[in-house]
Every structure is written in structure tokens, then in C-alpha cells.
Amino acid sequence: MTLTALIVDDEEYSRKSLYYLLQEYCPEVQIAAIVNSVAEAREQLRTKQVNLIFLDVAMPRESGFELLPDLKSSNTLVIFTTAYDHYALKALKASAIDYLLKPIDIEELKAAVKKAHDQMLLISERGTAASDPKQPDHVLPDDGTITIPHTHGFDVINTSEIVYIEADSNYSIFHLKNTGKMIVAKPLKEFEEMLAGKAFLRIHKSIIVNFKYVKAYSHRNGLQVILKDGSALPVSRRRLNEFQEKAKAFFKGE
């Protein structure tokens, strides 16, 4: 899949540098236009179909964040590019696919483009599934990515790596398939909203589980979900019906 991109940056050197890096190291990216302001970006978006924007943050008149409302109705992905690391959390909350600090590192650029490429493939596959009359309506969406904040910025992880998420006061503990635990300074409810509609369900006030790792359900020792690694998680009584309905839809669709 080709990524058709727009570069938005008020600094000429930064625009040219990013363009040459993409030409040299990211052949899957086709540059549709290069502009120096949010206003010019809006003009380009009226006439050009793009699915990726490399967006500077600190620009005169309008910041890069002010372009985001124009993208709400599209599947356009955003990679922020900036010289200032203190915008990282705001970029995370804006659901950016990645955040690159200037001067842009080649390997970080290639990794960010790969994330965007993988995400666009998922979006394309979901669109095909939605338009296919043979596609069962109980099949849950494919895996995607979410951004996880930490003290130095954020990580983008594939949702298929999440086994379950556990609440600890205002923190959330991610139990990941290959990399152990990750503690995040955000409440569980925020991740419940991010993962709504996917293969996840809040089965208890303190637990969200990924159905991909569920092996069994038992009420022998209280209401419990048994995971493929043998661990057991509690299911609250008030969430039991929702759990059973989603489990039936999920496993029927596998």
C-alpha cells in the first residue's frame, strides 16, 4: 500500500530535509504536497487525497494541532514533527500515530512510517469487511494500535500484545504478551473507551481482558475467566451477561 503524504512545516530546511529522507529511506511514501502553514494544508486537503500528514507543531498563526479538527471525518493519519519534546503528551491525546523530534532520526522515521503503513492496511481491511455482505456481523474488528504514555513520551503498541489491563487506583497495569508489565499513569476507564468495539471487555471494575487470550470460563471458584497461560481473572456478576454475549460473538467469529 502506498502512503500519500502531506508535509506541513514552516521551516524550509525542515521541509526539504524530511522530503529527502522520505525519498531515500521510505519508498512506500509518495509526497502529494509540501506546504508551510496550516492554512495551506487545508487548501491542499480540499483537492488532494492524502492518508498521512507529517505535521509540525509550532508554526506562526496556527499550530499543527489546529489542523486536527479538519481530519476528524477522514482516515488520515498524523505523524507530528517538532523540535520540542513537551508536546508529546498532547500529541498522544490527539491520537497521533507517532511523534518525531527534530533533527529527525532515520531509524525513528522508518519505524513511524511502518506504523502508519500497518495502520492503513488495517483500516483498508476493515473497510473491505464492512462492505462485504458475506462478512458475519458478529466478527470483531482487527487489531490496531494504541499509544501508551510514559515519562519520556509514549510508545505505540499493537493491541494484540495486550493480554489484560488491571486497575491500580489511578494507574493502569498492562500485562503484555512478550514484554511483561507496563504501568501507565492513566485510569482504566480511558483505555476502556479507547478499546471499545475491539476484542476487549471490562469484565470487572478493575480488569479489561483481551478475548484472544481467553481459554475458558468457570464458576467453580467464583466467576472466573481462565487465560491461555493458566491465570484466572474475576468476572463481576453485573458484567456477566455482557461477558457471555461478547464471548459468544467472538468465539463464533473465530
Side-chain angles (χ1 to χ4, degrees):
M1 170 179 283
T2 299
L3 293 169
T4 305
L6 176 64
I7 295 175
V8 186
D9 199 309
D10 65 309
E11 296 177 347
E12 183 178 5
Y13 173 79
S14 295
R15 293 194 300 269
K16 288 183 176 179
S17 174
L18 178 55
Y19 174 79
Y20 290 129
L21 288 175
L22 289 168
Q23 291 289 99
E24 182 72 21
Y25 299 102
C26 303
E28 65 269 54
V29 178
Q30 177 180 335
I31 305 300
I34 303 174
V35 299
N36 63 15
S37 70
V38 167
E40 287 190 27
R42 289 195 185 100
E43 289 297 322
Q44 292 294 328
L45 290 171
R46 290 190 184 99
T47 58
K48 291 184 171 65
Q49 294 291 324
V50 303
N51 50 25
L52 177 62
I53 299 179
F54 292 92
L55 185 58
D56 188 19
V57 176
M59 291 183 284
R61 291 182 291 279
E62 292 181 283
S63 77
F65 291 111
E66 293 177 82
L67 181 64
L68 300 183
D70 297 87
L71 308 177
K72 280 187 176 179
S73 61
S74 70
N75 287 323
T76 306
L77 304 176
V78 173
I79 296 175
F80 280 107
T81 60
T82 180
Y84 306 101
D85 61 4
H86 59 268
Y87 290 114
L89 184 57
K90 190 173 181 180
L92 166 67
K93 290 181 177 178
S95 299
I97 198 72
D98 214 332
Y99 180 94
L100 300 174
L101 281 176
K102 301 175 185 176
I104 292 174
D105 178 82
I106 294 170
E107 294 304 316
E108 290 180 0
L109 175 63
K110 290 163 66 176
V113 167
K114 184 180 186 304
K115 290 175 192 174
H117 185 266
D118 291 348
Q119 187 70 5
M120 285 309 305
L121 283 175
L122 288 171
I123 290 169
S124 176
E125 288 168 6
R126 288 173 189 171
T128 301
S131 63
D132 184 356
K134 297 178 182 179
Q135 182 74 10
D137 59 10
H138 55 258
V139 175
L140 297 171
D142 293 331
D143 296 315
T145 58
I146 62 171
T147 46
I148 306 298
H150 51 71
T151 54
H152 303 293
F154 61 84
D155 291 325
V156 180
I157 63 172
N158 196 298
T159 57
S160 65
E161 291 295 304
I162 304 169
V163 180
Y164 67 98
I165 313 171
E166 179 183 9
D168 184 1
S169 186
N170 286 325
Y171 291 81
S172 297
I173 304 171
F174 279 68
H175 296 258
L176 303 174
K177 180 182 177 183
N178 295 315
T179 54
K181 296 180 182 180
M182 179 183 294
I183 301 175
V184 183
K186 295 180 78 171
L188 195 65
K189 182 171 180 58
E190 291 200 26
F191 295 108
E192 181 182 16
E193 293 170 356
M194 284 185 196
L195 296 166
K198 299 183 184 293
F200 292 83
L201 182 68
R202 192 165 184 168
I203 59 172
H204 188 274
K205 66 180 182 180
S206 61
I207 293 172
I208 295 172
V209 71
N210 186 345
F211 274 85
K212 291 180 179 292
Y213 296 96
V214 171
K215 180 181 180 182
Y217 162 73
S218 173
H219 54 76
R220 184 176 302 166
N221 298 308
L223 307 179
Q224 291 184 325
V225 166
I226 313 301
L227 302 184
K228 292 178 180 179
D229 65 1
S231 56
L233 303 175
V235 180
S236 68
R237 290 194 177 277
R238 76 182 188 88
R239 298 179 185 271
L240 179 59
N241 287 341
E242 186 181 3
F243 165 75
Q244 291 175 329
E245 286 299 315
K246 189 151 187 174
K248 182 165 63 174
F250 181 81
F251 292 113
K252 185 177 179 181
E254 280 202 325

